[in-house]
Amino acid sequence: VARFGGRWLHSAERWVLRRLRACCLCSSVVEGAARRAMGPKVKSYSGPDHFRWRLVLSVLSSQPISIKSIRVDEESPGLTSAEASFVKLLDQLTNGSHVEINEIGTALFFRPGILIGGSLRHDCGSADGQGRAVGWYIEGLLPLACFAKSPVRILFENCITNDDMDPSVDMIRDVMLPLVRQFGVGADEESQSQLFVNVKARGARPKGGGVVDFSCPIARTLRTIDLCDAGLVRKVRGTAYSTKLSPQVPNRMVHAARATLNHLLPDVFIFTDVYSGKTSGASPGFAVMLTASTTTGCTISAEATAETAALPEDVAQRAVSHLLEEVWDGGCIDSTHQSIALTLMALGPEDVSRIRTGNLTESAMGTLRLLRDFFGVVFKVRSDPENETVSLSCLGSGFKNAARRVT
């Protein structure tokens, strides 16, 4: 109980007062910031869903946004530490951005500035165990880095490199960056060496401690893509890593994965990556990432990270099962890369891009709605009942980077 207005309040009444205070602060910040916003009309959203993509598309389209009712019904209301860290990172990559957050973090107003890029260091702050993996940051930054004023080079420190919620650094290096190259980013000889992800230290949950060097060149325009034929799987590659554990742990994952995959095709090779000492981060852990390359050049990926008291064989079997499910879905890309592929398609030239996927994820469907809101790009979605896939096509918005000279 607590004393308020001359009488004692019980816990239920105190909860109601906190809710009222959160709603008042939320509405006052959003409405006051919206009145002060200049230029384009402020786009309003509610809730924490698709928080990262809202901010990314706001920067690209130069449209201010306001987000309210961020986790007002939860025990820990407001922005998470990872979301606040991503807002800080966007502020460092832009010039002139204006951010307003209420006292308890349940309302945010963001007016984007000019995207300048450059080199910087960023502390992901994963030591508290509540942060997101570095792949969560890089996936959101890739569309921005392509259209910055200068090439982007970020050294992520104190980060988590592998977990089950976000793409790992191995998946970004082997799958996501090659997918971005198909859109013309880092495809020429001059900028080919500038698109990379370099793991200097691994970081596992809960304390992280990883160090990742990320670099992305700029592009004036993107290319259209036509990925409609998934083809047949011709080889499987992968990476099994461990930190602060015996070197036999990744070897056990390799043997367990090959025991299943070699019944399906002979060309299976999984690398082992063992970290110790200063490059092993602050927590022990292990994981495996697998990629299936097809005869038409498509790459399907899946991964699994060890949880508490997990066996290496179980982690490998989980990764294999996930990979086989992704291949069975019949898409040219896996479910993890649907959102970034759709975003780059919408930012492409005023020509038709096509792609075939498996079942659309909730994140991909939310991205489609945001692309319609910010750029007016509407996708044509068609379901193929024969192979149970989804074909998506769109006419790009013709987005161009004015800072990149025409050569």
Side-chain angles (χ1 to χ4, degrees):
V1 296
R3 190 169 182 82
F4 177 78
R7 70 183 186 90
W8 294 95
L9 299 181
H10 294 281
S11 59
E13 294 175 311
R14 293 171 57 193
W15 180 83
V16 172
L17 285 176
R18 287 199 302 268
R19 287 291 310 277
L20 290 174
R21 182 170 178 267
C23 293
C24 292
L25 289 172
C26 180
S27 59
S28 62
V29 168
V30 172
E31 293 174 2
R35 286 194 299 267
R36 292 189 295 270
M38 300 180 63
K41 182 180 178 181
V42 179
K43 293 187 177 298
S44 299
Y45 295 96
S46 179
D49 297 336
H50 316 295
F51 178 85
R52 180 184 46 161
W53 289 112
R54 290 170 180 173
L55 294 177
V56 169
L57 297 180
S58 172
V59 174
L60 290 172
S61 63
S62 300
Q63 299 184 49
I65 63 171
S66 65
I67 306 175
K68 60 183 180 179
S69 301
I70 302 176
R71 300 184 181 89
V72 293
D73 296 327
E74 299 185 12
E75 294 183 1
S76 300
L79 298 174
T80 63
S81 59
E83 292 169 344
S85 179
F86 190 77
V87 173
K88 179 181 177 181
L89 184 57
L90 290 184
D91 185 59
Q92 292 176 306
L93 289 173
T94 56
N95 184 16
S97 294
H98 178 72
V99 182
E100 290 187 20
I101 304 175
N102 67 346
E103 293 182 6
I104 55 177
T106 57
L108 174 141
F109 172 79
F110 180 72
R111 184 170 62 226
I114 300 174
L115 187 58
I116 57 175
S119 300
L120 55 96
R121 290 172 175 260
H122 183 72
D123 190 346
C124 296
S126 302
D128 58 357
Q130 302 298 323
R132 301 293 293 264
V134 68
W136 185 79
Y137 294 89
I138 296 178
E139 182 185 15
L141 291 178
L142 273 172
L144 296 176
C146 302
F147 298 102
K149 186 176 181 180
S150 58
V152 174
R153 183 78 178 268
I154 304 176
L155 183 66
F156 292 96
E157 299 175 328
N158 193 25
C159 63
I160 298 171
T161 58
N162 299 76
D163 72 352
D164 279 333
M165 293 197 309
D166 306 303
S168 67
V169 289
D170 304 295
M171 182 177 288
I172 292 174
R173 180 190 60 220
D174 298 339
V175 184
M176 190 175 294
L177 295 188
L179 175 63
V180 173
R181 283 195 178 95
Q182 295 189 45
F183 287 91
V185 180
D188 55 351
E189 296 181 359
E190 179 183 357
S191 60
Q192 185 175 8
S193 60
Q194 298 179 7
L195 182 63
F196 64 84
V197 169
N198 184 20
V199 182
K200 296 187 175 182
R202 291 274 182 176
R205 286 193 182 274
K207 296 182 179 180
V211 179
V212 176
D213 187 11
F214 166 68
S215 175
C216 181
I218 59 176
R220 179 166 176 80
T221 59
L222 300 180
R223 299 174 183 171
T224 59
I225 63 168
D226 189 1
L227 298 177
C228 293
D229 185 8
L232 301 176
V233 176
R234 61 185 181 89
K235 66 178 181 180
V236 173
R237 295 292 182 265
T239 302
Y241 97 95
S242 67
T243 58
K244 298 183 180 298
L245 294 172
S246 169
Q248 291 300 321
V249 171
N251 290 332
R252 290 169 61 183
M253 289 190 289
V254 171
H255 291 316
R258 294 194 61 176
T260 301
L261 293 173
N262 278 137
H263 289 292
L264 305 175
L265 74 166
D267 194 356
V268 178
F269 192 87
I270 304 174
F271 299 89
T272 58
D273 204 0
V274 180
Y275 286 80
S276 60
K278 295 182 179 180
T279 62
S280 60
S283 298
F286 57 93
V288 59
M289 191 276 301
L290 302 174
T291 62
S293 301
T294 69
T295 54
T296 57
C298 299
T299 303
I300 310 297
S301 61
E303 59 186 353
T305 306
E307 300 175 351
T308 304
L311 295 176
E313 292 79 8
D314 296 338
V315 174
Q317 287 299 325
R318 186 152 48 93
V320 171
S321 299
H322 190 190
L323 180 66
L324 295 179
E325 290 176 0
E326 294 284 357
V327 173
W328 178 259
D329 285 343
C332 297
I333 58 172
D334 53 73
S335 57
T336 304
H337 298 87
Q338 290 180 5
S339 293
I340 188 170
L342 296 175
T343 301
L344 295 178
M345 288 171 62
L347 296 174
E350 296 180 0
D351 200 354
V352 177
S353 293
R354 300 187 302 169
I355 195 169
R356 183 181 298 274
T357 69
N359 295 326
L360 290 177
T361 63
E362 183 179 352
S363 176
M365 290 186 285
T367 303
L368 290 175
R369 299 187 185 100
L370 292 175
L371 292 172
R372 179 196 57 195
D373 293 344
F374 284 95
F375 292 99
V377 176
V378 179
F379 281 74
K380 181 180 179 181
V381 182
R382 185 181 60 188
S383 177
D384 190 348
E386 293 185 0
N387 47 22
E388 297 182 354
T389 59
V390 180
S391 297
L392 299 101
S393 60
C394 75
L395 188 67
S397 61
F399 195 85
K400 294 182 180 180
N401 187 356
R404 175 69 184 267
R405 293 184 300 176
V406 180
T407 56

